[in-house]
Amino acid sequence: MSQPHLIKPSSSPSHTIIPIVSTSCTAARSTPAPCFFRAAASSFCPPPSSSSSLLSLSRPPHRRARARRGDAIGCVPSSAARSSETVPSSSSSGSAADPSSAMAGVRVRATATIKVTAGGFLNDLRPSRVIDNIKDLVGRSLNLELVSSDLLDAKTGKEKPTIRSYAHQVADNDDEVLTYQADFDVPASFGAVGAVLVSNEQQRTEMFFVDIKLSSSEGVEITTIRCNSWVAPNSGDDAGKRVFFANKPYLPSQTPAGLLSYRKKDLEQKRGNGRGQRKSTDRIYDYDVYNDLANPDSNADLARPVLGGSKQFPYPRRCRTGRPATKNEPKTESRGGDNYVPRDEAFSEEKLLQFSVTTVQSVLSAVVPAAQSALIDPNLGFPSFFVIDKLFEDGVKLPPAEQLGFLRSVVPRLLQLLRDSPGDQVLLFDLPANVQKDKFSWLRDEEFARETLAGINPYAIELVREFPLKSKLDPAVYGPAESAITADVLEKQMGHVMTVAEAVKQKRLFMLDFHDLFLPYVHKIRELKHTTMYGSRTVFFLTSDGTLRLLAIELTRPKSPSQPQWRRVFTPSTDTTESWLWRMAKSHVRAHDAGHHELVSHWLRTHCAVEPYILAANRQLSEMHPVFHLLRPHFRYTMRINAMARSALISAGGIIETTFSPGRYAMELSSAAYAKLWRFDAEALPADLVRRGMAELDPESQHGLKLTIQDYPFANDGLLIWDAIQNWVQAYVSKFYPDAASVAGDVELQAFWTEVRTVGHGDKKDETWWPALDTPATLAHALTTIVWVASAHHAAVNFGQYDFGGYFPNRPSIARTKMPVEEPVDAAAMAAFLDNPDQALRECFPSQVQATLVMAVLNLLSAHSPDEEYLGGMETVPWNDDERVRAAYGEFHARLKEIEGIIDGRNRDRKFRNRCGAGMLPYQLMKPFSQPGVTGKGIPNSTSI
Ligand SMILES: [Fe+2]
C-alpha cells in the first residue's frame, strides 16, 4: 500500500556499495614488492615466485582491472614500487621510520571519501565557514597516519612510528561526496599497514568518513578501509585520534603485534570513564538504569519508579547519558534536550528526514479530531462508526499548532516539527490493509482467532497443558487459583465432539493467558480515570481443518479491601444480549493483547533487550573482532530509536501511557513481564515455541520441531528464517573458531558475554539458564538468537502494526469502560447498554484523540525507511576478504530470496486456511525484503523503528 503523504523525495545519495575483495593477489605474486597489509592478508599474499615476471603498467588490461577492484589486497604492485623510486617524497611530512630506506619503498596515496547525507552537513564543509574553511584551503584540516602492523622491536614491544600526511580536498562530487587525498612515502621496512589514524583538526566541523582507499601513485587500488563513522572536530591530540583498522578481522590473540595497543586503546575510549554528561559528538558506550522516563520537577504526577537495579523492578540497562538528577527525585535523571546516543548510532540524515516528515504527517493527522471537536477533550469517544470511517475517507483539515492543547505535553518534539513544517493543510490516513481486504473482519471470531497465529502478536498463544486452568498467584490475595472456565462450558462450545480431557490429551486446546500478568495491576489501574482492567483468559479449540475456534473468555477482577472477587465467563451466543457482551469481552481481550504486544513482545523483548548487547559489544569487542563485524549490521539505529522512545513514547505522560489501558503503570508492567518471562535461552524461536507448547522437539521433523498447529504462519515462516540465520552464523563462526578452546580463550568475547549477563541484563545475572559461550556451537546459537531477535522477531511484531491496528476496532489499545454486567451492577450503565449496545461498545473503545494518536504512531512505526538494510541484503555484504565467509553470505542471501518465493506460494495455497482465504490478509511479515513505506513485509537487519 502506498504511504506517500508528505514524504519528500529524498535527494540524498544511494548506498555506498561495498566492494568485495577476492583472495587472489596476482600483483604480489609477480614481484617482490613490499606487501602492505601483509599481516592482514598473509594467506592471500604468498611469497613471490622468483620466476614471476615483473608486473608493470603495460600488463594486460584485465589484470589491471582486477587490481582496481581490490584483488591485490594490501599488496602494492611492483609498478607502484618502481614509480615511487622515481617520485620525490615531498608531501609526506611524517616521521618515516627510516628515511634512508624511504627511497627503497613506495609512494602510497590515501583517498578519504567523506559522505554528504541529506540535510546538507556539506554546507559546513564549504566556504561558508571561515576558520575551518581556511584550514581546509591550506590543507591543515585532516591528518592521516599509516600504522604498521609490525613492531619496531619485538623484545621491547616498541611500535614503529606512524607515517603522517595532511590530506587535501581534491574533489566535490555532485554535492554528495567530498574527496581528500594524502600521499605517503612508505619505506620497505615499514611492513604491513594495519590501520589508519585520522585527526580532524577543524574546530567545529564533524566529518563522516565513508572509507579510505589506499592506492599506488598510479591509482592502482591496494585496499579500501571501511569507516562509516563520524570523526569529531579537534581530534588531533592522541586521545582524540580515530583509528580505522584494515578490514580483516582478528581474534584478540591473533592481533598483529603493532596493532595491539591501538586495539586496546580504542576499546578504552569507547568505554569512557563513567563520569560526566555525554555530549552529542561523544562515542562512549556506558550503562544506566531506566531512570529518565519520569519528570517529577514538572509535575508530581509524572514521578515514576526507577526500572532496573532492584528486585522490585528488574529491567535491562539503557545507554548512560549522565544528565543531572531532578530536584525532586534524586534517583531520577532530568530529561532536558535530546537523549544522547553515541555519535555513530544516530540516524542517517536520510532516515531522520523520513522519520521527521512521517512523524509530522502522522501527528498532524492525529490531532485533527481533537481540534475539530473544538473541545480538545481527550476523552471524547467516537459518536458513530460512520465518523470512524470518515477519518479514512475525507482527510482532515489541520489545526493551528496553538490549538493543540494537552498534546503539547505529549509530543512536544513533534509539535516543534509541526510548527516548522510548511505544506499541505489536508492529510489522509491510508485505509489499513485488513480493512481494505475485509471491512468487517474485526467483528468475526475466526479472524480474532486467526490473528493469534498470523497477526502482529503471534508470541502470546500457548497450548493448554493442564485443565482446569490455574493461576500461580497467591489465592489469599487474588482469590481462587482455579479458573471459572469449566469443562461443561468448553464442551458445549466444542459441540460435544470430545471431552476437555480428550482435547487436552490431543493438544487441541489453546489459550491467551493475560491473567497472572495483569491481575496484580487491576486495582491500581482502576484508580486511574478513563480506563479499566481485568485479568483475562481466552480459550480456543483446534478444529479438524487446522483453524482455531474461539470458545470462551474469562474476565476477572480480584478481590480488594472494599470488594469481593468478580469474574465471569463469556461465550459466543445466539442470544442478542449475550452476543453484545461477547463482543465487548473480546474488545477487552484485544486491549490486553495490544498492551502485551506493545509492552512485552515488541518493546521489551526486542528494542529494550537488544540495547545491552549493543553496549557490551561496543565496549568489549574491538572493531577488528570478527563477532563485532558479524553483529554490527544488526545494531543499526536501535539505540537511536530507543532514545526517541524514551523521550516521547514510553515516558511518563507519553504516548503509551496516554493511549493504552495500563496508563502510568505501563512500564512497570513491562518490568513485571521481564521478571516473570524473559530468559535469554527462550528468545531463540525454537525454544520459544517449545516453551509455549506450540512445538515439541523432533529430530525427524523439518527444523527439528513438530508444530502443534501445522498451519501456524508465523512459526512456519519464522523457522525458515531462523534456519537461514543459523546456517549463516554457523558458517561464519566455524571460520574463526576451529575448536572449543578458541571460543573459551577469546578474552574479548568472554568479556562481552560476561557484561551482557552481569551488567546489561544484570538483574538476571544469577539465573542458571544463561548459556556459556564455550564451544563454536554454543557461540553460534547465542549469536543466532541475538540476530533473530534484532531482525525477524522485531519484524514479526513491528511492520504489521498499522495493517492490523490502524483500524482500531480490530485492536483497541485501551478498553475504557467496565463490562455492564460487572457486579455490583451499575443500573444506569446497564440500562444504557441495553438501550444502545453499539454506543456502549464505542465508549469502551479508545477516545478520538487516543485512537488517532495510536494510528499515527503505528503508521510511523510500520514504515520502512528509504535507507533500510534488509536481512541478508547486499548492502551489508561482509567486507572481509575470506572466500568461505563470502560464499556463506552468498548462500544466506540466496536462501532468503528463495524463502520469499516459498512464502508467496504458501499464501496462495488454499490448504493453509490461516493465511489464504476470502478477504484474508496474507501472512507476509517474514518476507525478507520490501520497498520503503508501510508494506506489511520486510525484515530489516536491525530493530530500527
Ligand atoms: Fe519497533
Side-chain angles (χ1 to χ4, degrees):
M1 66 195 276
S2 65
Q3 287 286 314
H5 291 291
L6 290 182
I7 300 174
K8 298 169 187 168
S10 171
S11 60
S12 57
S14 58
H15 293 297
T16 298
I17 303 300
I18 299 169
I20 303 170
V21 291
S22 84
T23 57
S24 63
C25 192
T26 311
R29 289 192 192 101
S30 306
T31 179
C35 188
F36 302 100
F37 295 90
R38 171 168 42 76
S42 56
S43 60
F44 312 120
C45 301
S49 160
S50 58
S51 61
S52 299
S53 59
L54 285 177
L55 185 66
S56 72
L57 287 173
S58 62
R59 67 186 182 273
H62 70 276
R63 300 285 286 275
R64 295 170 67 183
R66 284 171 62 99
R68 275 198 298 276
R69 287 203 308 271
D71 287 6
I73 181 168
C75 304
V76 175
S78 62
S79 57
R82 289 194 294 111
S83 82
S84 74
E85 292 172 3
T86 60
V87 178
S89 55
S90 58
S91 63
S92 179
S93 60
S95 51
D98 179 3
S100 65
S101 65
M103 292 305 289
V106 294
R107 166 165 283 198
V108 171
R109 170 163 289 173
T111 305
T113 303
I114 296 174
K115 188 178 177 185
V116 180
T117 51
F121 101 96
L122 177 65
N123 291 332
D124 281 347
L125 295 176
R126 293 182 190 288
S128 55
R129 291 168 315 100
V130 178
I131 299 173
D132 286 347
N133 203 59
I134 289 172
K135 285 186 122 183
D136 214 27
L137 287 173
V138 298
R140 308 289 289 185
S141 62
L142 177 60
N143 195 291
L144 303 180
E145 297 176 56
L146 304 185
V147 180
S148 173
S149 291
D150 299 340
L151 291 175
L152 187 65
D153 184 336
K155 282 187 185 171
T156 62
K158 193 172 179 187
E159 291 164 355
K160 288 184 177 175
T162 59
I163 304 175
R164 295 179 311 206
S165 179
Y166 275 105
H168 302 258
Q169 186 181 327
V170 295
D172 179 348
N173 303 322
D174 300 330
D175 292 347
E176 293 179 350
V177 172
L178 293 180
T179 304
Y180 282 73
Q181 283 185 345
D183 291 325
F184 304 85
D185 284 327
V186 182
S189 60
F190 190 69
V193 176
V196 175
L197 287 180
V198 171
S199 309
N200 174 6
E201 298 186 3
Q202 305 199 64
Q203 290 188 4
R204 292 185 307 170
T205 308
E206 286 182 292
M207 304 176 92
F208 185 80
F209 281 70
V210 177
D211 57 36
I212 301 172
K213 292 184 177 65
L214 297 184
S215 58
S216 73
S217 54
E218 291 109 343
V220 178
E221 188 173 319
I222 301 167
T223 193
T224 299
I225 297 177
R226 174 179 51 175
C227 305
N228 287 335
S229 180
W230 291 93
V231 177
N234 292 312
S235 61
D237 58 4
D238 272 355
K241 287 178 185 173
R242 275 297 305 281
V243 62
F244 291 115
F245 295 108
N247 300 324
K248 182 176 169 62
Y250 290 100
L251 296 180
S253 61
Q254 296 165 350
T255 312
L259 302 179
L260 274 170
S261 71
Y262 293 95
R263 182 170 188 149
K264 184 166 173 274
K265 188 174 166 190
D266 193 46
L267 283 172
E268 287 170 356
Q269 285 180 344
K270 289 175 81 174
R271 286 197 284 266
N273 60 14
R275 297 195 294 273
Q277 182 170 349
R278 297 275 65 83
K279 57 184 188 297
S280 62
T281 53
D282 284 350
R283 186 170 157 256
I284 291 173
Y285 295 76
D286 203 354
Y287 299 94
D288 211 337
V289 292
Y290 276 74
N291 66 347
D292 62 343
L293 303 178
N295 196 359
D297 288 355
S298 156
N299 184 333
D301 271 354
L302 297 178
R304 297 288 181 274
V306 174
L307 303 183
S310 68
K311 278 209 157 37
Q312 188 182 6
F313 297 114
Y315 217 56
R317 298 297 184 270
R318 50 111 177 162
C319 179
R320 179 183 177 278
T321 54
R323 290 173 295 197
T326 58
K327 288 180 188 155
N328 294 333
E329 293 283 348
K331 289 185 176 173
T332 296
E333 184 175 296
S334 57
R335 291 174 48 189
D338 205 13
N339 281 342
Y340 161 82
V341 293
R343 188 64 182 95
D344 287 340
E345 306 298 331
F347 285 162
S348 70
E349 296 198 13
E350 188 172 14
K351 168 98 170 174
L352 198 60
L353 186 67
Q354 191 264 350
F355 191 89
S356 300
V357 173
T358 311
T359 302
V360 172
Q361 164 249 309
S362 298
V363 171
L364 288 176
S365 300
V367 300
V368 166
Q372 285 185 330
S373 74
L375 301 171
I376 313 193
D377 174 3
N379 303 308
L380 193 66
F382 283 90
S384 70
F385 277 92
F386 175 73
V387 171
I388 297 172
D389 292 344
K390 291 277 282 183
L391 200 63
F392 298 101
E393 290 171 6
D394 292 352
V396 283
K397 189 177 175 188
L398 304 182
E402 309 83 61
Q403 293 182 14
L404 299 176
F406 89 105
L407 285 166
R408 282 182 184 284
S409 62
V410 178
V411 284
R413 190 186 66 82
L414 308 184
L415 294 180
Q416 180 62 42
L417 291 168
L418 162 64
R419 278 192 289 277
D420 295 344
S421 176
D424 297 345
Q425 296 300 302
V426 175
L427 291 167
L428 282 169
F429 280 113
D430 281 337
L431 203 57
N434 63 339
V435 183
Q436 289 184 41
K437 298 290 286 186
D438 180 352
K439 184 174 178 178
F440 300 108
S441 64
W442 71 276
L443 281 165
R444 291 188 285 103
D445 288 2
E446 52 269 33
E447 177 63 13
F448 182 113
R450 190 187 78 86
E451 287 184 20
T452 66
L453 304 171
I456 53 167
N457 194 23
Y459 278 99
I461 189 84
E462 61 184 294
L463 178 69
V464 172
R465 280 167 278 202
E466 64 172 9
F467 196 87
L469 308 175
K470 282 183 188 161
S471 166
K472 293 186 176 67
L473 298 173
D474 182 358
V477 177
Y478 297 102
E482 198 166 294
S483 169
I485 299 176
T486 62
D488 284 349
V489 168
L490 296 183
E491 285 165 5
K492 180 182 174 191
Q493 291 300 319
M494 286 153 53
H496 298 287
V497 295
M498 64 179 69
T499 65
V500 164
E502 288 167 339
V504 170
K505 191 177 177 189
Q506 292 180 27
K507 299 186 176 182
R508 303 280 290 267
L509 288 184
F510 295 83
M511 66 175 168
L512 293 178
D513 186 354
F514 300 129
H515 186 275
D516 285 11
L517 181 62
F518 286 121
L519 210 63
Y521 284 86
V522 165
H523 288 302
K524 284 187 197 176
I525 292 169
R526 283 174 166 234
E527 287 172 13
L528 307 174
K529 290 181 179 172
H530 310 294
T531 186
T532 192
M533 181 54 79
Y534 296 100
S536 71
R537 296 182 177 104
T538 305
V539 180
F540 307 82
F541 176 64
L542 180 62
T543 66
S544 53
D545 64 10
T547 57
L548 289 176
R549 180 187 298 164
L550 196 41
L551 299 182
I553 291 171
E554 178 189 33
L555 299 179
T556 302
R557 180 196 70 202
K559 70 177 184 179
S560 71
S562 58
Q563 285 182 313
Q565 184 199 55
W566 176 84
R567 57 185 181 171
R568 179 165 163 177
V569 178
F570 300 88
T571 55
S573 176
T574 52
D575 176 276
T576 301
T577 302
E578 290 299 316
S579 184
W580 272 105
L581 288 172
W582 172 244
R583 204 164 282 159
M584 292 189 74
K586 282 198 297 180
S587 289
H588 279 275
V589 173
R590 280 177 157 137
H592 299 169
D593 191 65
H596 177 269
H597 164 261
E598 216 59 270
L599 296 171
V600 182
S601 303
H602 184 199
W603 164 255
L604 175 69
R605 292 180 67 178
T606 63
H607 288 263
C608 181
V610 166
E611 187 151 326
Y613 311 147
I614 305 173
L615 291 167
N618 279 280
R619 289 166 56 85
Q620 300 297 343
L621 298 175
S622 166
E623 291 180 5
M624 66 193 330
H625 196 290
V627 170
F628 189 86
H629 280 222
L630 176 77
L631 290 178
R632 188 73 186 94
H634 303 289
F635 296 157
R636 186 181 191 230
Y637 296 155
T638 305
M639 291 179 71
R640 186 72 195 113
I641 191 69
N642 287 1
M644 283 186 164
R646 297 206 312 275
S647 73
L649 284 174
I650 61 172
S651 50
I655 289 172
I656 293 289
E657 287 195 1
T658 308
T659 56
F660 282 72
S661 289
R664 64 180 294 155
Y665 299 105
M667 293 304 288
E668 278 190 37
L669 258 167
S670 81
S671 168
Y674 182 66
K676 276 181 203 248
L677 305 170
W678 191 89
R679 44 186 291 173
F680 180 83
D681 60 336
E683 294 304 288
L685 176 62
D688 176 89
L689 293 170
V690 170
R691 181 162 76 152
R692 290 186 286 122
M694 301 305 289
E696 61 183 47
L697 297 175
D698 178 10
E700 303 301 315
S701 298
Q702 191 186 13
H703 315 294
L705 288 177
K706 186 175 172 193
L707 289 177
T708 318
I709 299 176
Q710 295 303 306
D711 180 18
Y712 181 4
F714 161 68
N716 296 134
D717 298 356
L719 285 167
L720 296 177
I721 301 293
W722 168 272
D723 278 0
I725 296 172
Q726 183 169 255
N727 289 339
W728 151 240
V729 172
Q730 282 175 342
Y732 188 91
V733 165
S734 71
K735 158 65 188 169
F736 296 98
Y737 296 95
D739 51 32
S742 59
V743 178
D746 183 335
V747 291
E748 286 184 9
L749 181 73
Q750 296 302 327
F752 158 71
W753 195 236
T754 298
E755 205 164 279
V756 166
R757 292 185 294 109
T758 64
V759 185
H761 284 281
D763 297 339
K764 299 260 183 182
K765 67 179 187 304
D766 297 325
E767 300 287 356
T768 55
W769 40 251
W770 281 106
L773 299 192
D774 51 6
T775 65
T778 55
L779 172 60
H781 190 75
L783 295 176
T784 299
T785 302
I786 291 172
V787 173
W788 162 264
V789 168
S791 58
H793 175 155
H794 178 259
V797 298
N798 190 81
F799 292 101
Q801 292 185 88
Y802 190 71
D803 284 352
F804 287 102
Y807 187 71
F808 67 87
N810 192 54
R811 285 185 73 77
S813 60
I814 183 171
R816 297 191 298 159
T817 58
K818 297 184 290 190
M819 294 294 290
V821 291
E822 182 183 325
E823 296 169 351
V825 172
D826 179 330
M830 187 65 179
F833 162 71
L834 290 171
D835 180 56
N836 189 341
D838 177 308
Q839 182 173 334
L841 182 60
R842 281 184 279 102
E843 286 174 355
C844 186
F845 279 159
S847 70
Q848 292 193 41
V849 167
Q850 287 171 325
T852 46
L853 201 50
V854 169
M855 285 164 61
V857 171
L858 296 188
N859 184 289
L860 170 68
L861 299 182
S862 299
H864 290 291
S865 166
D867 76 338
E868 199 82 278
E869 293 177 352
Y870 293 94
L871 186 68
M874 299 313 287
E875 303 88 352
T876 49
V877 171
W879 262 42
N880 82 72
D881 46 14
D882 184 79
E883 188 82 40
R884 277 169 58 191
V885 168
R886 287 184 296 112
Y889 193 84
E891 285 175 23
F892 181 40
H893 175 78
R895 178 58 179 159
L896 290 168
K897 284 286 183 189
E898 193 179 9
I899 288 171
E900 278 202 311
I902 294 171
I903 291 173
D904 286 340
R906 288 174 174 175
N907 284 328
R908 288 192 297 267
D909 190 338
R910 285 294 308 279
K911 83 168 178 270
F912 297 118
R913 296 167 195 243
N914 292 321
R915 63 194 302 162
C916 179
M920 195 179 286
L921 203 57
Y923 188 73
Q924 302 194 91
L925 290 167
M926 290 292 93
K927 281 184 74 172
F929 303 102
S930 171
Q931 304 78 38
V934 180
T935 63
K937 62 184 176 184
I939 305 175
N941 268 323
S942 62
T943 299
S944 60
I945 189 77

